[in-house]
Amino acid sequence: MEFLNIAGHVSVIHHLQSAFQNNRIPSAYLFTGLEGIGKATLAKAFVQMLNCDTHNNCHQCDSCRMVERDGHPDFITIEPDGKFIKIKQIQTLIKQLALKPVYAKKRVVLLENVHQMNVESANCFLKILEEPPLDTLLILLTTDANLLLETIVSRVQKVQFAPLSEGHLLSILQQQYELKAEDLAFVMNYAHGRIRSDWIRKLSQLLNMRTQVREILGSLVTERMVDHVTLLEQWNKQDLGAYFLEFCTSWLRDWIWWLEEKPHRLINSDLLEDFATLPPKVTIEQLHWAFDLTIETELAIKAQAGKQLALEGLIIQIKQIFSGKIVV
């Protein structure tokens, strides 16, 4: 992919191109922004440009072809081994950096999800940042720079990636995927400025799940029985728990917008008939409280709370709110 023709992130592209043309590339960049926003794609295209024989992503020279095949000996990628980037991975990297580049003018190390370094690996990585090799560029990718050690952030040049515009999202999705109009609308509604390839891979599952989450929330008001415990167990086994929380927040938010007569803000705008049957006894205050509880549950799970119990507890609490047993 040609560096200058990547959709979106015009200011980032111009910044990096200017640094390259003026020979002002730092020893380390920190690319930060939403997951799926294109940080890795742009980083890879930048690597191609740096070492291309024509400096223009020609896709013909040996260097460009090796980068495209992920087979360039001087383009090193490190990603979490399980939950963390471990100290052994950083120690191996230090040994690699002690050697001269095999082929490239500029060796590049791409560290994905760098916020998943544990304390040991982060402290070890600091040694590289403190004495960076002259012939090496480090590119760190993260969704949240606040999760990194300040001593790391202070030694890199931060590059912020903004969410993609709706026009760029639509263009990328239409070019890369063959989606029916209704499926494209669903993916776009939940994109929030990023390309969510996982949603496209799991499209049929997630479309069905969205309806089931709506039924669960509706049953908490109408007393209609829905076996949410079995559904939650099934979703957790399939590693879909995070999607359940996202659908919960989207439906609760949409119900609030509907009651406030702001239908243009609905995420699930393709299912307007579901809002026409919204149980009348649910108040905006109750929905706000249920929404806040859902966000708190998501944070608790990220802090290693038991996922199944946390999700079951959330449903019980929302039911108590909707039934008036907990007064807002």
Side-chain angles (χ1 to χ4, degrees):
M1 181 174 290
E2 292 187 18
F3 182 65
L4 295 177
N5 292 337
I6 295 176
H9 311 306
V10 173
S11 62
V12 172
I13 291 171
H14 287 170
H15 171 73
L16 295 175
Q17 185 189 34
S18 175
F20 171 68
Q21 291 175 339
N22 294 293
N23 197 28
R24 296 178 64 87
I25 296 175
S27 58
Y29 281 116
L30 173 63
F31 289 3
T32 179
L34 295 171
E35 183 179 353
I37 206 170
K39 301 186 298 295
T41 298
L42 198 147
K44 189 172 181 178
F46 187 49
V47 171
Q48 278 188 304
M49 186 181 73
L50 289 177
N51 291 302
C52 175
D53 288 350
T54 66
H55 296 307
N56 195 33
N57 302 75
C58 72
H59 304 284
Q60 301 299 320
C61 68
D62 290 341
S63 179
C64 280
R65 289 177 176 177
M66 285 190 288
V67 172
E68 286 179 355
R69 296 194 303 265
D70 294 323
H72 201 302
D74 300 314
F75 179 34
I76 303 168
T77 300
I78 295 177
E79 55 188 18
D81 179 9
K83 291 185 177 181
F84 301 104
I85 295 175
K86 298 173 181 175
I87 189 169
K88 284 187 177 180
Q89 293 173 273
I90 304 302
Q91 290 171 336
T92 299
L93 175 62
I94 290 174
K95 292 177 182 178
Q96 290 175 296
L97 297 184
L99 305 173
K100 291 185 177 181
V102 176
Y103 185 90
K105 307 176 189 73
K106 176 75 76 172
R107 174 170 47 201
V108 180
V109 180
L110 182 68
L111 295 103
E112 300 195 35
N113 294 319
V114 72
H115 54 274
Q116 290 181 241
M117 284 187 183
N118 57 28
V119 175
E120 286 183 326
S121 58
N123 287 326
C124 187
F125 183 68
L126 272 173
K127 297 177 183 178
I128 301 175
L129 290 177
E130 289 167 353
E131 299 181 18
L134 294 176
D135 51 10
T136 299
L137 169 64
L138 304 168
I139 302 179
L140 288 62
L141 308 184
T142 184
T143 55
D144 188 352
N146 294 320
L147 298 176
L148 301 178
L149 293 177
E150 180 56 37
T151 45
I152 288 180
V153 176
S154 65
R155 287 173 169 81
V156 299
Q157 187 175 121
K158 186 176 177 181
V159 179
Q160 182 69 50
F161 282 64
L164 292 165
S165 69
E166 188 170 315
H168 281 131
L169 275 171
L170 182 60
S171 174
I172 293 169
L173 288 171
Q174 288 176 330
Q175 288 176 19
Q176 296 185 4
Y177 304 97
E178 294 182 4
L179 296 172
K180 294 184 293 185
E182 59 269 27
D183 293 340
L184 179 61
F186 171 71
V187 173
M188 285 285 293
N189 286 344
Y190 279 90
H192 307 306
R194 51 190 164 152
I195 300 298
R196 305 186 72 175
S197 55
D198 57 322
W199 281 66
I200 296 170
R201 289 195 306 270
K202 302 173 182 177
L203 188 59
S204 60
Q205 284 178 290
L206 295 178
L207 282 166
N208 187 46
M209 187 179 188
R210 176 176 64 156
T211 301
Q212 291 174 312
V213 172
R214 166 65 176 87
E215 291 174 353
I216 288 173
L217 292 174
S219 73
L220 302 181
V221 181
T222 62
E223 302 296 332
R224 183 168 55 86
M225 293 298 294
V226 173
D227 188 2
H228 63 268
V229 174
T230 300
L231 284 172
L232 288 174
E233 288 177 349
Q234 174 186 326
W235 291 333
N236 281 327
K237 286 178 181 177
Q238 297 172 345
D239 200 25
L240 297 175
Y243 299 101
F244 168 77
L245 288 169
E246 185 162 0
F247 284 130
C248 269
T249 55
S250 73
W251 278 116
L252 292 168
R253 184 191 290 114
D254 277 359
W255 282 355
I256 293 169
W257 291 135
W258 182 261
L259 291 177
E260 292 184 348
E261 299 182 355
K262 297 176 181 177
H264 60 285
R265 295 189 174 182
L266 299 180
I267 294 176
N268 299 290
S269 56
D270 55 323
L271 297 176
L272 284 175
E273 67 276 6
D274 282 20
F275 296 96
T277 59
L278 181 65
K281 63 180 180 179
V282 178
T283 67
I284 291 178
E285 290 75 15
Q286 289 173 324
L287 289 168
H288 272 294
W289 197 358
F291 179 86
D292 291 343
L293 276 174
T294 306
I295 299 298
E296 290 173 11
T297 300
E298 184 176 7
L299 294 174
I301 290 174
K302 287 181 179 179
Q304 309 303 317
K307 186 179 293 184
Q308 180 73 22
L309 289 176
L311 296 180
E312 288 182 23
L314 171 66
I315 291 176
I316 291 170
Q317 287 181 292
I318 292 177
K319 181 177 178 63
Q320 290 175 333
I321 291 171
F322 286 172
S323 65
K325 292 180 180 178
I326 298 179
V327 180
V328 180

